[in-house]
Amino acid sequence: MSTVSVINIGICGLGTVGQGVWKHIERARPELEARLGAKLVLARASVRDLEKKRDVRLKPAQLTTDPLSIATDPEIQIVCELIGGTGIARKVTLAALKLGKTVISANKALLCAHGPELFATARKHGGQFFFEASVAGGIPIIKALREGLVANRFRRIYGILNGTCNYILTRMEREGLAYPVILKEAKALGYAEADESLDVEGWDTAHKASVLAYLAHGTWVPTSKMVVEGITQLTQADLTFARENGYAIKLLAVIERDLERNVLSVGVYPALLPLTKAIANVNEVYNGISVAGDIVGETTYIGRGAGQDPTASAVIGDIIDAASQLVRGGAVLAPAPATKLALTPPAALRSRHYLRLDVKDQPGVLAKIATCTAKAGVSIASLVQRPSEKPNAASLLLTTHESNEAQIRLTIARLSRHSCVLGKPLLLRIADF
Ligand code: NAP
Ligand code: HSE
């Protein structure tokens, strides 16, 4: 019988997520403690600026600007790292794990950059590391992959993993608003990263894809081995074309394993996804993930992917799991055994594609475009011409038959060099899964 009857929690980072965790533990404390059979104490928190106004009340003695003093406080058993980034957050996490403590993290950037070191440190010193809030906000996808679907091998995991980008794309399409206006709103709502380029340039999704690939396949794929593209080049014309042709444009993470050849690929890019897919209809700040297991078949998870409340829900879920282990004993199931999987070279990935290019509006241009694509071995499936915002120009929206990434890159290079093409063409994949 355990003698642990009080669990002391330290919150490093009392921003959007940290304040949500504090607020919701205060509110739900009686139910949580009754289920746990132990007292939960929100002991201390760290911030950068002691003068900043907060939505939660703490005694001055509970607040510090030194998160390491929380990580190493002998009274604190559970340390929540809710600071973000890979600097002080890494130091705090490692310091607590080296003391055999439990760390709860929402930090996908840290996991992607230093996952092997964090897990090895936890193993070596008997600490525990929980990270449900690092992927897909309030959706318990980590638990689903690690526990519920443990019997499966995964051919394809794909979906929307960034709430900010999905919010931007949804509002752009529905209201015709410009992307910077909506990004400002997403920041005010607490959805975006402190450095919002991580969201809109696809890196946050790539960090999360790396975590999911590790859980599903036991292999850490660095972002340098992925195709990573963001949403900054998309316009209303692309979203409208997609909708008129039965697609939605979504920023997708796609993790595919060829189980026969045992190769893995991880990519992040905006893609045209058929509206018949559940994920294509996941809008606003919601995330959606489709997981195809070889035994279970396809399962789909949808929920709010960013913001204070859904993220706090995931962090508190981890706190209660961790506290329950401290009270009753036990440990989380280890992730999939480390596997050395070859990665599919990005150039070999196959897809249909969508291209948008502005061209000079003059005779013979279409023939020149068709020659460029043909020389790269890419076959055009459809082409429409729309007015361009540029003078004496037309906008061409093309779809292609399937080709590999190398062929389509060659096409783009040839088109970009052609004097009749104005500016760099936009290239999107068509996700005909
Ligand atoms: P945030 O609002 O910017 O909060 C960060 C907190 O850390 C603030 O309290 C800040 O202090 C403190 N801090 C920042 N830099 C520090 C430093 N160098 N030294 C000490 N303290 C420092 O960020 P957030 O949105 O809560 O995100 C926190 C983590 O959760 C990140 O890893 C993020 O990726 C992840 N996450 C966020 C969401 C979301 O929807 N927001 C969802 C899932 C995961 P001050 O308050 O004094 O500035
Ligand atoms: N900035 C992230 C997003 C927060 O928008 O999805 C949740 O991880």
Side-chain angles (χ1 to χ4, degrees):
M1 183 68 186
S2 161
T3 54
V4 178
S5 56
V6 178
I7 306 288
N8 287 310
I9 303 160
I11 307 283
C12 299
L14 201 60
T16 302
V17 182
Q19 291 182 83
V21 171
W22 198 282
K23 182 173 75 180
H24 288 294
I25 288 187
E26 292 288 21
R27 184 194 51 76
R29 184 192 305 284
E31 296 88 349
L32 294 174
E33 289 184 343
R35 295 182 70 175
L36 198 57
K39 272 180 74 62
L40 287 173
V41 178
L42 287 165
R44 298 174 60 198
S46 77
V47 294
R48 192 170 29 188
D49 176 1
L50 288 171
E51 303 305 320
K52 205 187 257 184
K53 200 172 162 322
R54 315 264 159 199
D55 294 337
V56 292
R57 277 175 182 275
L58 281 78
K59 295 187 188 109
Q62 288 180 291
L63 260 188
T64 175
T65 53
D66 178 10
L68 273 171
S69 74
I70 294 182
T72 56
D73 184 335
E75 296 295 317
I76 288 176
Q77 297 114 306
I78 297 181
V79 177
C80 300
E81 187 280 287
L82 305 173
I83 299 170
T86 55
I88 185 68
R90 173 169 165 266
K91 288 187 183 145
V92 163
T93 304
L94 290 174
L97 290 175
K98 280 178 185 165
L99 291 169
K101 293 178 190 277
T102 298
V103 176
I104 287 160
S105 176
N107 192 338
K108 52 272 170 164
L110 182 68
L111 266 154
C112 178
H114 298 287
E117 180 188 31
L118 302 179
F119 286 99
T121 308
R123 259 196 315 276
K124 182 169 172 198
H125 298 278
Q128 296 285 335
F129 188 61
F130 291 77
F131 50 97
E132 185 62 70
S134 67
V135 183
I139 303 172
I141 188 66
I142 306 291
K143 227 178 198 335
L145 280 176
R146 186 152 60 185
E147 297 171 22
L149 300 175
V150 69
N152 291 268
R153 293 182 306 161
F154 304 100
R155 286 187 189 280
R156 180 182 297 122
I157 298 172
Y158 81 94
I160 300 163
L161 301 181
N162 186 274
T164 301
C165 288
N166 210 31
Y167 184 75
I168 291 172
L169 293 176
T170 305
R171 301 280 310 277
M172 270 176 79
E173 187 184 352
R174 285 187 186 159
E175 295 159 52
L177 292 172
Y179 136 79
V181 176
I182 315 169
L183 176 59
K184 214 170 152 197
E185 242 184 70
K187 277 182 85 83
L189 288 164
Y191 299 161
E193 296 302 303
D195 170 3
E196 71 257 20
S197 69
L198 292 173
D199 295 296
V200 295
E201 288 174 10
W203 298 109
D204 178 74
T205 301
H207 297 153
K208 292 165 175 169
S210 177
V211 174
L212 293 187
Y214 167 68
L215 282 173
H217 304 293
T219 298
W220 283 105
V221 181
T223 54
S224 59
K225 301 278 184 210
M226 304 177 192
V227 169
V228 181
E229 292 164 12
I231 64 164
T232 55
Q233 304 305 313
L234 297 177
T235 65
Q236 191 68 36
D238 305 316
L239 296 162
T240 304
F241 173 88
R243 182 66 55 168
E244 286 170 358
N245 288 277
Y247 296 93
I249 297 182
K250 297 291 179 189
L251 180 67
L252 294 184
V254 182
I255 303 163
E256 289 188 291
R257 178 164 173 183
D258 182 330
L259 292 173
E260 285 70 42
R261 291 168 47 238
N262 220 15
V263 287
L264 183 67
S265 72
V266 183
V268 172
Y269 40 77
L272 280 75
L273 189 64
L275 286 165
T276 48
K277 297 283 182 194
I279 303 296
N281 298 287
V282 173
N283 292 311
E284 304 272 352
V285 74
Y286 283 74
N287 284 186
I289 309 163
S290 158
V291 180
D294 61 344
I295 304 177
V296 71
E298 186 173 352
T299 60
T300 306
Y301 308 81
I302 296 171
R304 283 189 292 163
Q308 184 172 75
D309 289 347
T311 314
S313 166
V315 173
I316 296 170
D318 276 353
I319 291 175
I320 299 306
D321 257 2
S324 178
Q325 284 179 20
L326 291 168
V327 173
R328 298 177 182 79
V332 286
L333 202 60
T339 319
K340 267 223 164 344
L341 283 175
L343 297 177
T344 313
L349 294 171
R350 297 188 68 79
S351 176
R352 290 174 60 222
H353 294 92
Y354 161 86
L355 290 172
R356 168 173 49 81
L357 52 157
D358 282 324
V359 294
K360 288 182 185 164
D361 197 2
Q362 60 192 30
V365 165
L366 288 185
K368 288 173 186 160
I369 303 295
T371 306
C372 278
T373 60
K375 278 190 174 162
V378 172
S379 170
I380 295 172
S382 73
L383 186 153
V384 291
Q385 182 170 327
R386 297 270 159 85
S388 167
E389 286 174 359
K390 295 180 179 147
N392 306 318
S395 197
L396 299 182
L397 311 177
L398 283 81
T399 63
T400 72
H401 291 294
E402 194 177 280
S403 69
N404 67 33
E405 190 85 11
Q407 288 171 299
I408 200 75
R409 292 276 163 214
L410 183 60
T411 306
I412 295 289
R414 283 180 189 277
L415 288 171
S416 301
R417 280 199 301 269
H418 214 293
S419 60
C420 69
V421 175
L422 308 168
K424 191 167 186 270
L426 172 84
L427 169 72
L428 300 178
R429 292 159 190 78
I430 301 177
D432 290 318
F433 298 137

